[in-house]
Amino acid sequence: MSSGSTRALSLLSKRLYLQLESMPMAFRGHWRSYNSKIDLKKLRPMILKRIENRAKDYPVPGMIPVAEEVLKARELLFQGVFTLLKLFPIVACKFCPEVYIGEKGHGGLNDIVVPVEAFHMHNMFQGDFKHQQRFDFERVPAIVELCMQAGADGTDEILRSGSLTTEEKSCGGISGIESLSDDDIRVVANGTLKAWERLRSGVRKLLTVYPAKVCKHCSEVHIGPSGLQARLCGVFSYESWRGSHYWIKAKVNDLVPPKMVWRRRPQDPKVLLNEGRDYYGHAPAVVDLCSKAGAIVPSKYLCMMKVNGLPGPNTYY
């Protein structure tokens, strides 16, 4: 190598060194040496300690009123739905999740407000627990678990309300509704629909601050930054998924599923036919139930309800 080339290489190395020295410390970490060996066993205690320190930032004081409002809205929603179920019959299919609000039928709270449960964590930043430990944790409504981790006070009655074994007496439906006037029923319906909207809005706010996950394969919901290894999916022979949970970020519909029902309009036949399914409207069951009781439906639901849409093709004959 000539003396000129050596001098040019020396100047280039010096220039690179000066540029590296002038860089902020935050960017110097990207200049890694891939030959260096990292002892993960020494880093593990530091990582776990950092995770524990995160618990000091929760619950967020500004979100406590939101969590308490969600619990109140949830209670009002259950009371209103139970009250309206005494006046408007619900048809629930025995073989599929299909629900219809019509002249005849039977149904209950869980057919209108779909229950979603999660494991009740003793500590928000608790680590993953094994499949064999799944019976050591209680199953509670996912919304209640989210609100409790957000700082809301939860009693035993709230923990069990809205679960799969909910009874009517635990939701406090209005007694003697058969004797109420149409105006009183309309007030109950409007209050129930407002509680539904406040519930979903509050859960949406809480999910921006508190982590929640849902399994992509089985819809299992977990509230908290960690996960769980309790395999509630893929344990039966007819299920194709055999691995652990595939966690993705949970959304409002994962915790408060809008049970969609077909909605009969005045221009539709008395019996909705499969051939006209592209013409019929549909809406969340809570919205349809409240609208039949005289509640004012928010404009955002009018598109899916197809109020002024064309009737089905078979109605022309």
Side-chain angles (χ1 to χ4, degrees):
M1 182 179 296
S2 62
S3 59
S5 301
T6 304
R7 184 178 179 183
L9 183 60
S10 177
L11 291 176
L12 180 60
S13 301
K14 185 177 181 180
R15 185 178 300 175
L16 291 175
Y17 176 80
L18 293 176
Q19 290 179 355
L20 180 60
E21 286 295 324
S22 62
M23 291 177 61
M25 292 298 298
F27 295 97
R28 295 187 191 180
H30 295 284
W31 293 70
R32 298 178 179 176
S33 176
Y34 291 93
N35 293 328
S36 61
K37 296 182 180 180
I38 301 176
D39 191 352
L40 296 179
K41 293 183 179 180
K42 294 182 179 180
L43 289 178
R44 179 177 174 83
M46 299 171 57
I47 297 175
L48 294 177
K49 186 64 176 180
R50 186 172 182 180
I51 294 176
E52 290 182 7
N53 292 334
R54 289 180 58 190
K56 299 177 182 179
D57 300 329
Y58 293 92
V60 179
M63 300 302 293
I64 294 178
V66 178
E68 294 177 347
E69 183 181 359
V70 168
L71 290 181
K72 292 179 181 178
R74 179 174 175 270
E75 183 179 359
L76 292 175
L77 175 64
F78 287 169
Q79 292 178 355
V81 170
F82 255 126
T83 301
L84 297 177
L85 284 178
K86 298 178 181 178
L87 297 177
F88 300 92
I90 312 297
V91 180
C93 181
K94 182 179 179 181
F95 303 102
C96 73
E98 187 72 24
V99 173
Y100 177 72
I101 303 175
E103 292 79 8
K104 299 179 181 179
H106 65 280
L109 174 66
N110 292 340
D111 297 315
I112 304 299
V113 185
V114 181
V116 178
E117 293 188 336
F119 284 102
H120 179 45
M121 297 288 100
H122 306 302
N123 182 8
M124 176 182 176
F125 289 91
Q126 179 178 332
D128 296 0
F129 61 88
K130 305 297 182 181
H131 177 71
Q132 295 77 8
Q133 298 175 297
R134 64 190 185 279
F135 298 113
D136 298 335
F137 298 87
E138 186 180 6
R139 298 280 290 180
V140 300
I143 298 177
V144 177
E145 176 67 14
L146 177 64
C147 293
M148 291 185 65
Q149 291 191 14
D153 294 331
T155 61
D156 293 339
E157 183 178 356
I158 294 179
L159 282 175
R160 289 165 178 78
S161 62
S163 62
L164 297 174
T165 58
T166 299
E167 298 179 0
E168 181 177 356
K169 61 182 180 180
S170 63
C171 291
I174 300 176
S175 58
I177 189 175
E178 294 80 3
S179 60
L180 296 179
S181 63
D182 294 340
D183 292 338
D184 294 334
I185 296 174
R186 192 176 298 111
V187 171
V188 174
N190 281 315
T192 303
L193 190 54
K194 290 180 181 178
W196 166 260
E197 292 297 318
R198 288 201 305 267
L199 175 66
R200 290 180 57 85
S201 176
V203 170
R204 183 178 291 106
K205 293 177 182 178
L206 292 176
L207 289 179
T208 60
V209 179
Y210 293 89
K213 305 176 183 179
V214 61
C215 180
K216 184 178 179 181
H217 300 282
C218 72
S219 300
E220 172 70 19
V221 172
H222 178 71
I223 309 299
S226 62
L228 56 91
Q229 299 180 16
R231 290 197 309 111
L232 302 180
C233 62
V235 297
F236 298 102
S237 59
Y238 60 85
E239 293 179 319
S240 58
W241 179 249
R242 297 293 179 141
S244 58
H245 292 290
Y246 188 95
W247 296 115
I248 58 177
K249 182 178 177 59
K251 300 180 180 179
V252 179
N253 289 345
D254 298 317
L255 274 67
V256 192
K259 182 74 174 185
M260 303 303 294
V261 298
W262 294 105
R263 188 177 184 276
R264 182 179 176 273
R265 306 163 300 173
Q267 63 266 38
D268 294 330
K270 292 185 177 180
V271 179
L272 301 181
L273 304 177
N274 186 59
E275 292 79 5
R277 59 185 299 131
D278 294 334
Y279 295 84
Y280 303 145
H282 56 277
V286 174
V287 177
D288 189 24
L289 178 63
C290 295
S291 65
K292 284 182 168 57
I296 300 176
V297 180
S299 58
K300 63 181 180 180
Y301 295 109
L302 298 181
C303 181
M304 66 176 68
M305 294 172 68
K306 302 179 182 179
V307 179
N308 298 322
L310 295 175
N314 291 317
T315 58
Y316 291 118
Y317 301 100

